Each structure stands twice: as structure tokens, then as C-alpha cells.
Amino acid sequence: MANQTSRSFLQVAATEEAAAPPLRVVQIEGLVILKIIKHCQEFSPALVTGQLLGLDVGSVLEVTNCFPFPVREEDEEIEAEGANYQLEMMRCLREVNVDNNTVGWYQSTLFGSYQTVELIETFMNYQENIKRCVCIIYDPSRSNQGVLALKALKLSDSFMELYKSNNFTGEKLREKNLSWVDIFEEIPIKVSNSALISAFMTELEPDTPVTQCDYERLQLSTNPYLERNVEFLIECMDDLSMEQQKFQFYYRNLSRQQAQQQAWLQKRRAENMARKAAGEEPLPEEDPSNPVFKPLPEPSRLDSFLITNQIANYCNQINGVAGQSFSRLYLMKALHEN
């Protein structure tokens, strides 16, 4: 009877997990955002990462706490020490009755250059134990331009299925109807604060009159940021050109192989006609042992997809900063005229 009850409970749990609603919102507490910003800003421009803790409630992923990972030296044992540190931190949090359920991780980036194979592999490692996890990306360089560059990302389900099969050929991508924009999904972020913190922030907020002028917002020093984005954009274009050369080399070899196959088939058919006229058995037209019929491996399109995604990200950043700069220029022009 107990076995039947346990089996039914497991079946119900599996059914509920399969019928879980899709993730719609990532709700982060304000204190968690401040911790992430502080950690990333202190070590900028070095890249850092940390653990996200919280609860998975329906279509909302609540992030209630986080802790940073230590910056490791090159000669340290990365795997063992990192795992021990995480377990020790989560044990300490559990002892003080703090949420210690892992819901993902956060990491810093430089000028939005986060779309890499390493990020996808980290996602797949987390997915082995956590079905719905997110990665919070924070960009200190873009935040210095007056924008809170904070976004929550997850891998799309269709991309994860394709990545597990490790088959990124053109035919498979067309079959799955997958393009470079379908790799990552950005989840909206909602900042949540308790009523006590909201009341405290209201008390701290100064009474600023409308007539007060804040000319620091009109600073036009965006040239370094734009220059770095353009430099990274040029590097990505060079990388994309190299990926295209790989495909051109593959298609040249493929066309050469097809020409060799046609010549071999024509020769074999002429030989079979001669054998048939002599009353002998014809030979098979396809010979698997012949290297001419060995299929050529098609290069993976994953790298080109990631580079294209990164190019689009740089273009969007340049477009956003340039648009703000033009608005400031026109506003400064109007102020000088007045």
C-alpha cells in the first residue's frame, strides 16, 4: 500500500512538473540588485559571477538572495574549490533560515559581450538539476552611460533540444525553424521591495523642486563607449567573415566531390554496359568503400549564430547611445540659443 501511495505521489509530482506554466517574469528584490551591482562594479573591468537563490512559483521566478563567487587565481583547483564554496555558503544560509534554493546565477559582462559558447555550456550544466534557471547579466560599462544594464536570460527550449543532439547543420536548423534570434530568451525583470523598505526609501527621497537643473545629465562624453563598441563590432565582423570562409570551403569541397561522384558513376555505367553486352553480371553503381562517396562533415553553425547575435547586440547599443547623444545635442543647442 505504501508503495502504491509513493508511486502515485511521484506520478502526480511528475505531472505537475510537466504541466508547469512557462516562465513569464523574474522578480528580484532590490537588495539583491544592489548586491549584484556592488560586486560587479568593485571588480570591473574583470568579469565576476555569483549564485542566485530564491523560489520558483508558477510563472514567476523569485530571486530573494545572492552571494558572489570568489575570484580564483589561475593556479588554484577551480572545480573542487568552487563546489565546496557553494555547498558551504548554502549550508550557512540554511542555518540562518534564508532561502537557499538555487535558481540560477549572475555574471558581469563588458560592453554586452556575453553571448558565448561558455554561457550555453553553463546553462546546460544548470539544466541537469534545475529545469527553470536564469542568468542575470549586468554590464557596468553600459550602466555608466545612465542605463541600468540588467537583463535576465534563458535558453529557448527548441535550442536546448538541438544543442543536446549537437547537430547544427543547415538541414536540421531549417527542420526546427531555428534562427540566430532563437538562442536566448529575455525574461522581463520586476523589482520587488517590502512595504517597510518602500516607506524607508520614501523618507530618504529629498524634495527636489522641478526648477532645479541637473546639467550632469547633458554630458556628451560618449565617444569612448562608442569607440569600444565599434571596435568590438569590427572584430565580430572579422570573425563572421572567417566563419563564412569555412562554409565556402565546405561547399567547394562538396561540389568537387559531387563532380567526382558523377564521373565515377558514368564510368561505372559504361563498364556495366560493356559487361552486360559480354553477358556478365553488372557491378553495383555505389561503392561505400570508395572515398568519393564518403560524406563530408558540415561545419557547425553555432559559432556563426552566436557571432551574429553579438553583432546585433553591438548595433543596438550603438543605436541607443547615438540616439541619446543626438537628443542631448539638440537640447544643448536649444539651451545655448535661449
Side-chain angles (χ1 to χ4, degrees), residues 150-314:
L150 196 73
K151 61 175 61 177
L153 298 176
K154 67 180 289 289
L155 291 179
S156 63
D157 296 334
S158 57
F159 177 79
M160 283 192 292
E161 293 178 2
L162 196 61
Y163 188 84
K164 290 177 182 178
S165 64
N166 196 18
N167 187 6
F168 287 95
T169 60
E171 180 181 357
K172 200 67 176 180
L173 292 172
R174 286 189 295 269
E175 177 185 339
K176 295 290 185 179
N177 195 19
L178 190 71
S179 64
W180 59 272
V181 296
D182 301 322
I183 298 179
F184 296 101
E185 292 181 7
E186 185 173 354
I187 311 299
I189 293 179
K190 178 182 177 182
V191 181
S192 173
N193 288 315
S194 63
L196 185 61
I197 294 179
S198 300
F200 180 67
M201 294 297 294
T202 304
E203 291 292 330
L204 290 179
E205 185 177 355
D207 296 330
T208 55
V210 180
T211 56
Q212 182 180 357
C213 296
D214 186 6
Y215 293 106
E216 292 182 357
R217 301 181 183 181
L218 299 178
Q219 289 183 356
L220 304 178
S221 58
T222 58
N223 288 337
Y225 184 78
L226 281 176
E227 289 176 1
R228 294 298 300 274
N229 271 278
V230 172
E231 289 176 1
F232 287 146
L233 181 59
I234 293 173
E235 292 179 2
C236 283
M237 294 298 295
D238 293 338
D239 294 338
L240 186 61
S241 177
M242 294 178 63
E243 290 294 324
Q244 290 177 345
Q245 290 177 7
K246 292 181 183 178
F247 286 104
Q248 291 174 359
F249 181 74
Y250 164 75
Y251 284 116
R252 281 198 301 267
N253 290 337
L254 184 62
S255 61
R256 188 182 301 113
Q257 185 189 53
Q258 290 174 352
Q260 292 175 356
Q261 291 175 356
Q262 290 298 326
W264 190 90
L265 287 174
Q266 290 177 3
K267 182 180 178 181
R268 176 55 63 91
R269 287 168 184 169
E271 185 179 353
N272 283 338
M273 289 177 64
R275 292 174 65 90
K276 190 174 183 181
E280 299 178 359
E281 288 292 332
L283 298 174
E285 292 190 355
E286 291 187 3
D287 186 7
S289 61
N290 194 329
V292 175
F293 292 95
K294 184 179 180 181
L296 295 176
E298 183 177 348
S300 175
R301 298 178 184 265
L302 177 59
D303 291 336
S304 60
F305 272 26
L306 291 175
I307 295 172
T308 306
N309 225 333
Q310 194 63 60
I311 289 174
N313 188 31
Y314 287 141

Side-chain angles (χ1 to χ4, degrees), residues 9 79 171 192 297 321:
F9 174 76
E79 296 291 338
E171 180 181 357
S192 173
V321 175

